[in-house]
Amino acid sequence: MSPVPPGAGVVPPGAGPAGEDRWYGKAMVRVRDPEPAGPAWQDSHVLYNRALTPYTAHPLVAALGPRAALELGAGRLAEYLAKTEVVELEIVNRAVQRILELPGTPDEMRTDLLKVYTDEGYHVLMMEEFRSHIQQVTGLRLGRTPGREVGDIARLVAGLPREKRPIAVICCAIVTETLITATLRQAGGDTVHPAVTRMLAEHATDEARHHAFFHRFADGWIPTVVQRDRALVESVLRQVLWYFLRPDFGRLHADLVARGLTPRQAATAIDESHDRAELRRQFLAASAACRKLIGDLGLEAGEQFADRLSVLDGASLVDLTTLEPHRS
Protein backbone atom coordinates (compact mmCIF):
# COMPACT_ATOMS: atom_id res chain seq x y z
CA MET A 1 0.00 0.00 0.00
CA SER A 2 0.93 3.63 -0.33
CA PRO A 3 3.06 5.05 2.48
CA VAL A 4 1.70 7.59 4.91
CA PRO A 5 2.19 11.13 3.58
CA PRO A 6 4.10 13.42 5.96
CA GLY A 7 1.77 14.92 8.53
CA ALA A 8 -1.30 12.87 7.60
CA GLY A 9 -3.48 12.41 10.66
CA VAL A 10 -0.96 13.96 13.04
CA VAL A 11 -2.09 16.57 15.55
CA PRO A 12 0.42 18.14 17.97
CA PRO A 13 -0.12 17.10 21.61
CA GLY A 14 -2.87 19.18 23.17
CA ALA A 15 -3.67 21.01 19.93
CA GLY A 16 -6.86 19.24 18.91
CA PRO A 17 -9.25 16.31 19.35
CA ALA A 18 -6.53 13.73 18.67
CA GLY A 19 -4.00 15.52 20.87
CA GLU A 20 -2.20 13.65 23.60
CA ASP A 21 -3.20 15.91 26.50
CA ARG A 22 -6.91 15.55 25.70
CA TRP A 23 -6.67 11.75 25.61
CA TYR A 24 -5.05 11.40 29.02
CA GLY A 25 -7.65 13.66 30.59
CA LYS A 26 -10.73 12.69 28.55
CA ALA A 27 -10.55 9.10 27.27
CA MET A 28 -13.15 6.87 28.89
CA VAL A 29 -10.62 4.12 29.55
CA ARG A 30 -8.78 6.56 31.85
CA VAL A 31 -11.55 8.59 33.50
CA ARG A 32 -14.81 6.61 33.37
CA ASP A 33 -16.49 5.46 36.56
CA PRO A 34 -17.63 1.91 35.72
CA GLU A 35 -20.38 1.93 38.35
CA PRO A 36 -23.82 2.81 36.92
CA ALA A 37 -25.14 6.05 38.35
CA GLY A 38 -28.32 8.08 38.11
CA PRO A 39 -32.03 7.48 38.63
CA ALA A 40 -33.32 3.94 38.94
CA TRP A 41 -35.39 2.26 36.24
CA GLN A 42 -38.95 3.60 35.97
CA ASP A 43 -41.95 2.23 34.08
CA SER A 44 -41.94 5.36 31.90
CA HIS A 45 -38.39 4.68 30.68
CA VAL A 46 -37.54 3.24 27.29
CA LEU A 47 -34.25 1.79 26.06
CA TYR A 48 -34.03 3.60 22.73
CA ASN A 49 -35.21 6.97 21.47
CA ARG A 50 -38.85 6.69 20.39
CA ALA A 51 -38.09 8.94 17.43
CA LEU A 52 -35.87 6.16 16.09
CA THR A 53 -38.44 3.44 16.86
CA PRO A 54 -41.67 5.04 15.54
CA TYR A 55 -43.21 1.65 14.84
CA THR A 56 -43.67 1.10 18.60
CA ALA A 57 -46.48 3.71 18.48
CA HIS A 58 -48.25 2.13 15.50
CA PRO A 59 -51.73 0.85 16.51
CA LEU A 60 -50.91 -2.72 15.46
CA VAL A 61 -47.81 -2.72 17.66
CA ALA A 62 -49.36 -0.73 20.52
CA ALA A 63 -52.10 -3.37 20.71
CA LEU A 64 -49.44 -5.89 21.69
CA GLY A 65 -48.97 -4.03 24.99
CA PRO A 66 -46.23 -1.90 26.59
CA ARG A 67 -43.96 -4.88 27.20
CA ALA A 68 -43.73 -5.52 23.47
CA ALA A 69 -42.72 -1.91 22.84
CA LEU A 70 -40.06 -2.14 25.55
CA GLU A 71 -38.71 -5.38 24.09
CA LEU A 72 -38.57 -3.90 20.59
CA GLY A 73 -36.56 -0.96 21.90
CA ALA A 74 -34.33 -3.41 23.73
CA GLY A 75 -33.81 -5.24 20.46
CA ARG A 76 -32.66 -2.06 18.76
CA LEU A 77 -30.29 -1.34 21.66
CA ALA A 78 -28.96 -4.91 21.57
CA GLU A 79 -28.30 -4.58 17.86
CA TYR A 80 -26.39 -1.34 18.48
CA LEU A 81 -24.25 -2.96 21.18
CA ALA A 82 -23.48 -6.02 19.07
CA LYS A 83 -22.69 -3.90 16.02
CA THR A 84 -20.42 -1.67 18.08
CA GLU A 85 -18.42 -4.64 19.32
CA VAL A 86 -17.84 -5.96 15.80
CA VAL A 87 -17.07 -2.54 14.32
CA GLU A 88 -14.56 -1.71 17.06
CA LEU A 89 -12.69 -5.02 16.90
CA GLU A 90 -13.11 -6.22 13.31
CA ILE A 91 -13.11 -2.93 11.40
CA VAL A 92 -11.50 -0.08 13.33
CA ASN A 93 -8.79 -1.99 15.19
CA ARG A 94 -7.99 -4.04 12.08
CA ALA A 95 -7.62 -0.75 10.21
CA VAL A 96 -5.35 0.58 12.95
CA GLN A 97 -3.16 -2.49 12.56
CA ARG A 98 -2.97 -1.96 8.79
CA ILE A 99 -2.10 1.73 9.18
CA LEU A 100 0.64 0.88 11.69
CA GLU A 101 2.17 -1.35 9.02
CA LEU A 102 2.29 1.41 6.39
CA PRO A 103 5.76 2.67 5.46
CA GLY A 104 6.56 6.07 6.90
CA THR A 105 4.10 6.06 9.79
CA PRO A 106 5.50 8.79 12.08
CA ASP A 107 5.89 8.32 15.81
CA GLU A 108 3.19 10.92 16.59
CA MET A 109 0.67 9.04 14.47
CA ARG A 110 1.63 5.70 16.00
CA THR A 111 0.88 7.15 19.43
CA ASP A 112 -2.55 8.39 18.34
CA LEU A 113 -3.30 5.08 16.61
CA LEU A 114 -2.51 3.13 19.76
CA LYS A 115 -4.84 5.40 21.71
CA VAL A 116 -7.63 4.67 19.22
CA TYR A 117 -6.87 0.94 19.51
CA THR A 118 -7.01 1.13 23.32
CA ASP A 119 -10.26 3.11 23.26
CA GLU A 120 -11.97 0.65 20.96
CA GLY A 121 -11.01 -2.36 23.04
CA TYR A 122 -12.36 -0.62 26.13
CA HIS A 123 -15.61 0.21 24.35
CA VAL A 124 -16.23 -3.50 23.91
CA LEU A 125 -15.81 -3.96 27.67
CA MET A 126 -18.17 -1.00 28.22
CA MET A 127 -20.80 -2.68 26.06
CA GLU A 128 -20.46 -5.94 27.98
CA GLU A 129 -20.75 -4.27 31.38
CA PHE A 130 -23.69 -2.21 30.18
CA ARG A 131 -25.46 -5.29 28.80
CA SER A 132 -25.23 -6.90 32.25
CA HIS A 133 -26.55 -3.75 33.94
CA ILE A 134 -29.61 -3.57 31.68
CA GLN A 135 -30.44 -7.20 32.40
CA GLN A 136 -30.22 -6.53 36.14
CA VAL A 137 -32.56 -3.52 36.10
CA THR A 138 -35.08 -4.63 33.47
CA GLY A 139 -34.88 -8.42 33.38
CA LEU A 140 -34.30 -8.21 29.62
CA ARG A 141 -31.44 -10.18 28.15
CA LEU A 142 -29.87 -8.23 25.29
CA GLY A 143 -28.84 -10.41 22.37
CA ARG A 144 -25.42 -10.49 20.78
CA THR A 145 -26.30 -10.77 17.10
CA PRO A 146 -25.21 -7.73 15.06
CA GLY A 147 -27.27 -6.43 12.17
CA ARG A 148 -27.06 -7.60 8.60
CA GLU A 149 -24.73 -4.74 7.64
CA VAL A 150 -21.81 -6.21 9.58
CA GLY A 151 -21.93 -9.42 7.57
CA ASP A 152 -22.34 -7.49 4.32
CA ILE A 153 -19.20 -5.46 5.04
CA ALA A 154 -17.25 -8.59 5.98
CA ARG A 155 -18.26 -10.28 2.71
CA LEU A 156 -17.33 -7.14 0.76
CA VAL A 157 -13.79 -7.20 2.13
CA ALA A 158 -13.39 -10.98 1.89
CA GLY A 159 -14.44 -10.91 -1.76
CA LEU A 160 -11.53 -8.67 -2.77
CA PRO A 161 -8.06 -9.86 -3.80
CA ARG A 162 -5.96 -10.42 -0.70
CA GLU A 163 -3.54 -7.62 -1.51
CA LYS A 164 -6.42 -5.10 -1.73
CA ARG A 165 -8.09 -5.99 1.55
CA PRO A 166 -5.96 -3.69 3.76
CA ILE A 167 -7.03 -0.71 1.63
CA ALA A 168 -10.66 -1.79 1.94
CA VAL A 169 -10.46 -2.24 5.71
CA ILE A 170 -8.99 1.25 6.15
CA CYS A 171 -11.72 2.71 3.91
CA CYS A 172 -14.35 0.91 6.00
CA ALA A 173 -12.97 2.47 9.18
CA ILE A 174 -12.90 5.93 7.63
CA VAL A 175 -16.62 5.60 6.86
CA THR A 176 -17.76 4.00 10.12
CA GLU A 177 -15.78 6.42 12.29
CA THR A 178 -17.20 9.47 10.53
CA LEU A 179 -20.78 8.14 10.73
CA ILE A 180 -20.99 6.64 14.19
CA THR A 181 -20.81 9.93 16.10
CA ALA A 182 -23.96 11.15 14.35
CA THR A 183 -25.72 7.90 15.28
CA LEU A 184 -24.73 8.28 18.92
CA ARG A 185 -26.18 11.78 19.12
CA GLN A 186 -29.63 10.50 18.13
CA ALA A 187 -30.20 7.39 20.24
CA GLY A 188 -30.66 9.06 23.65
CA GLY A 189 -33.63 11.17 24.69
CA ASP A 190 -35.75 12.55 27.53
CA THR A 191 -37.56 9.28 28.29
CA VAL A 192 -34.60 7.00 27.61
CA HIS A 193 -33.25 5.27 30.72
CA PRO A 194 -30.43 7.52 32.06
CA ALA A 195 -27.91 4.66 32.02
CA VAL A 196 -28.44 4.33 28.26
CA THR A 197 -28.01 8.05 27.67
CA ARG A 198 -24.87 8.07 29.80
CA MET A 199 -23.32 5.13 27.94
CA LEU A 200 -24.06 6.70 24.55
CA ALA A 201 -22.60 10.05 25.64
CA GLU A 202 -19.43 8.40 26.96
CA HIS A 203 -19.00 6.44 23.75
CA ALA A 204 -19.58 9.59 21.67
CA THR A 205 -16.88 11.47 23.62
CA ASP A 206 -14.22 9.03 22.46
CA GLU A 207 -15.66 8.65 18.97
CA ALA A 208 -15.45 12.41 18.38
CA ARG A 209 -11.65 12.16 18.72
CA HIS A 210 -11.57 9.14 16.43
CA HIS A 211 -13.66 11.03 13.89
CA ALA A 212 -11.09 13.84 13.90
CA PHE A 213 -8.18 11.43 13.55
CA PHE A 214 -9.61 9.44 10.64
CA HIS A 215 -10.72 12.62 8.87
CA ARG A 216 -7.17 13.98 9.00
CA PHE A 217 -5.70 10.65 8.03
CA ALA A 218 -8.04 10.31 5.05
CA ASP A 219 -7.14 13.80 3.86
CA GLY A 220 -3.54 12.71 3.42
CA TRP A 221 -3.84 9.00 2.61
CA ILE A 222 -6.73 8.66 0.19
CA PRO A 223 -5.22 10.93 -2.50
CA THR A 224 -2.14 8.67 -2.62
CA VAL A 225 -4.24 5.51 -2.93
CA VAL A 226 -6.68 6.67 -5.61
CA GLN A 227 -3.80 7.20 -8.02
CA ARG A 228 -3.76 3.40 -8.49
CA ASP A 229 -6.95 2.13 -6.87
CA ARG A 230 -9.59 4.79 -7.46
CA ALA A 231 -12.29 2.31 -8.56
CA LEU A 232 -11.71 0.17 -5.48
CA VAL A 233 -11.85 3.11 -3.08
CA GLU A 234 -14.99 4.54 -4.71
CA SER A 235 -16.72 1.15 -4.61
CA VAL A 236 -15.87 0.38 -0.98
CA LEU A 237 -16.81 3.83 0.30
CA ARG A 238 -20.14 3.79 -1.55
CA GLN A 239 -21.06 0.28 -0.42
CA VAL A 240 -20.07 0.76 3.22
CA LEU A 241 -22.08 3.99 3.40
CA TRP A 242 -25.12 2.06 2.23
CA TYR A 243 -24.59 -1.02 4.38
CA PHE A 244 -23.91 0.92 7.55
CA LEU A 245 -26.79 3.39 7.30
CA ARG A 246 -29.49 1.13 5.80
CA PRO A 247 -31.89 0.05 8.59
CA ASP A 248 -32.36 -3.69 8.94
CA PHE A 249 -36.11 -3.65 8.37
CA GLY A 250 -36.04 -7.36 7.59
CA ARG A 251 -34.86 -8.07 11.12
CA LEU A 252 -37.49 -5.72 12.55
CA HIS A 253 -40.15 -7.50 10.49
CA ALA A 254 -39.10 -10.84 11.97
CA ASP A 255 -39.18 -9.34 15.50
CA LEU A 256 -42.74 -8.06 14.98
CA VAL A 257 -43.91 -11.40 13.65
CA ALA A 258 -42.27 -13.16 16.60
CA ARG A 259 -44.37 -10.97 18.92
CA GLY A 260 -47.67 -11.92 17.30
CA LEU A 261 -48.24 -9.84 14.18
CA THR A 262 -48.88 -11.54 10.86
CA PRO A 263 -46.24 -10.95 8.15
CA ARG A 264 -48.62 -8.57 6.38
CA GLN A 265 -49.40 -6.66 9.59
CA ALA A 266 -45.69 -6.37 10.38
CA ALA A 267 -44.93 -4.98 6.91
CA THR A 268 -47.85 -2.53 7.25
CA ALA A 269 -46.66 -1.31 10.66
CA ILE A 270 -43.15 -0.71 9.31
CA ASP A 271 -44.24 1.06 6.11
CA GLU A 272 -46.86 3.24 7.81
CA SER A 273 -44.52 4.24 10.66
CA HIS A 274 -41.74 5.65 8.47
CA ASP A 275 -42.10 8.75 6.34
CA ARG A 276 -39.99 8.24 3.20
CA ALA A 277 -38.93 11.90 3.02
CA GLU A 278 -37.87 11.81 6.67
CA LEU A 279 -35.89 8.62 6.10
CA ARG A 280 -34.08 10.31 3.21
CA ARG A 281 -33.35 13.32 5.40
CA GLN A 282 -31.96 11.05 8.14
CA PHE A 283 -29.75 9.21 5.65
CA LEU A 284 -28.37 12.47 4.28
CA ALA A 285 -27.88 14.05 7.71
CA ALA A 286 -26.10 11.02 9.15
CA SER A 287 -23.77 10.81 6.16
CA ALA A 288 -23.19 14.56 5.69
CA ALA A 289 -19.70 14.77 7.22
CA CYS A 290 -18.53 11.60 5.51
CA ARG A 291 -19.95 12.63 2.12
CA LYS A 292 -18.30 16.04 2.41
CA LEU A 293 -14.95 14.42 3.20
CA ILE A 294 -15.30 12.12 0.21
CA GLY A 295 -16.36 14.95 -2.09
CA ASP A 296 -13.56 17.25 -0.94
CA LEU A 297 -11.11 14.51 -1.96
CA GLY A 298 -12.50 14.51 -5.50
CA LEU A 299 -14.42 11.23 -5.19
CA GLU A 300 -17.98 10.56 -6.31
CA ALA A 301 -18.97 7.82 -3.83
CA GLY A 302 -20.81 10.25 -1.54
CA GLU A 303 -23.03 11.57 -4.30
CA GLN A 304 -23.55 8.07 -5.69
CA PHE A 305 -24.81 7.09 -2.24
CA ALA A 306 -27.18 10.08 -2.19
CA ASP A 307 -28.45 9.13 -5.66
CA ARG A 308 -29.13 5.59 -4.45
CA LEU A 309 -31.66 6.95 -1.96
CA SER A 310 -34.14 7.19 -4.84
CA VAL A 311 -35.02 3.56 -3.96
CA LEU A 312 -36.94 4.93 -0.98
CA ASP A 313 -39.56 6.23 -3.38
CA GLY A 314 -40.75 2.81 -4.46
CA ALA A 315 -39.39 -0.15 -2.53
CA SER A 316 -41.12 -1.78 0.39
CA LEU A 317 -39.06 -0.92 3.45
CA VAL A 318 -38.77 -4.61 4.34
CA ASP A 319 -37.30 -5.28 0.87
CA LEU A 320 -34.86 -2.39 1.34
CA THR A 321 -32.75 -4.62 3.57
CA THR A 322 -31.74 -6.82 0.63
CA LEU A 323 -31.18 -4.07 -1.97
CA GLU A 324 -27.57 -3.69 -2.96
CA PRO A 325 -25.79 -0.32 -3.08
CA HIS A 326 -25.29 -0.13 -6.84
CA ARG A 327 -25.66 3.19 -8.48
CA SER A 328 -29.19 3.83 -9.73
Side-chain angles (χ1 to χ4, degrees):
M1 284 197 298
S2 301
V4 177
V10 178
V11 180
E20 190 170 332
D21 293 347
R22 288 180 62 90
W23 188 84
Y24 283 104
K26 299 288 187 179
M28 289 299 113
V29 70
R30 300 188 64 86
V31 303
R32 177 175 177 266
D33 181 357
E35 292 299 319
W41 174 263
Q42 300 176 15
D43 289 342
S44 60
H45 286 157
V46 295
L47 291 173
Y48 218 78
N49 192 331
R50 286 192 175 96
L52 299 179
T53 56
Y55 44 86
T56 59
H58 190 277
L60 288 170
V61 180
L64 298 175
R67 184 68 178 183
L70 176 63
E71 290 175 352
L72 288 165
R76 184 73 184 272
L77 178 62
E79 183 181 333
Y80 160 78
L81 297 176
K83 177 167 67 175
T84 296
E85 292 174 349
V86 176
V87 168
E88 310 290 50
L89 296 179
E90 300 297 329
I91 295 179
V92 181
N93 275 358
R94 282 182 64 196
V96 168
Q97 290 174 316
R98 299 291 82 81
I99 297 171
L100 287 168
E101 295 167 356
L102 295 176
T105 303
D107 289 345
E108 298 96 328
M109 183 187 291
R110 290 184 63 86
T111 299
D112 279 338
L113 283 164
L114 293 173
K115 292 171 185 171
V116 171
Y117 194 94
T118 301
D119 286 342
E120 302 296 45
Y122 183 60
H123 293 165
V124 176
L125 176 59
M126 282 173 56
M127 302 301 116
E128 183 64 21
E129 292 175 340
F130 177 75
R131 188 183 279 110
S132 297
H133 171 68
I134 292 300
Q135 184 173 354
Q136 290 174 7
V137 299
T138 68
L140 294 171
R141 185 175 181 84
L142 301 182
R144 300 178 184 276
T145 304
R148 179 188 177 97
E149 69 278 5
V150 173
D152 287 334
I153 292 172
R155 284 186 290 273
L156 167 66
V157 174
L160 296 171
R162 185 175 298 274
E163 68 275 10
K164 301 298 184 182
R165 292 174 193 170
I167 294 174
V169 169
I170 294 173
C171 288
C172 289
I174 289 169
V175 172
T176 61
E177 291 302 278
T178 54
L179 291 176
I180 196 168
T181 307
T183 303
L184 289 168
R185 292 194 194 104
Q186 300 173 36
D190 291 342
T191 60
V192 175
H193 182 45
V196 178
T197 301
R198 173 193 166 188
M199 181 273 293
L200 294 169
E202 290 173 341
H203 190 192
T205 296
D206 282 347
E207 292 301 334
R209 292 195 317 276
H210 302 175
H211 177 130
F213 172 82
F214 276 97
H215 191 290
R216 291 183 175 89
F217 174 79
D219 275 341
W221 178 76
I222 284 183
T224 69
V225 177
V226 296
Q227 296 172 15
R228 293 180 301 175
D229 291 295
R230 184 185 187 94
L232 170 67
V233 172
E234 291 269 30
S235 175
V236 171
L237 292 175
R238 183 182 68 252
Q239 292 184 74
V240 175
L241 269 167
W242 177 259
Y243 288 146
F244 205 78
L245 284 175
R246 174 200 60 196
D248 193 346
F249 287 119
R251 182 172 181 170
L252 172 59
H253 184 268
D255 286 346
L256 291 172
V257 171
R259 282 165 177 77
L261 297 188
T262 67
R264 178 174 292 184
Q265 286 175 327
T268 297
I270 292 170
D271 280 327
E272 292 183 353
S273 299
H274 294 87
D275 179 83
R276 304 303 178 98
E278 176 61 16
L279 276 177
R280 184 192 297 271
R281 187 200 67 76
Q282 290 175 3
F283 274 128
L284 293 174
S287 63
C290 186
R291 288 187 295 111
K292 183 178 186 304
L293 168 63
I294 293 169
D296 288 347
L297 293 172
L299 301 175
E300 299 179 357
E303 290 312 305
Q304 290 172 351
F305 165 78
D307 290 345
R308 181 58 171 150
L309 297 183
S310 62
V311 300
L312 292 173
D313 298 332
S316 163
L317 293 182
V318 175
D319 294 338
L320 187 67
T321 304
T322 59
L323 290 177
E324 289 300 306
H326 306 305
R327 191 173 185 182
S328 302

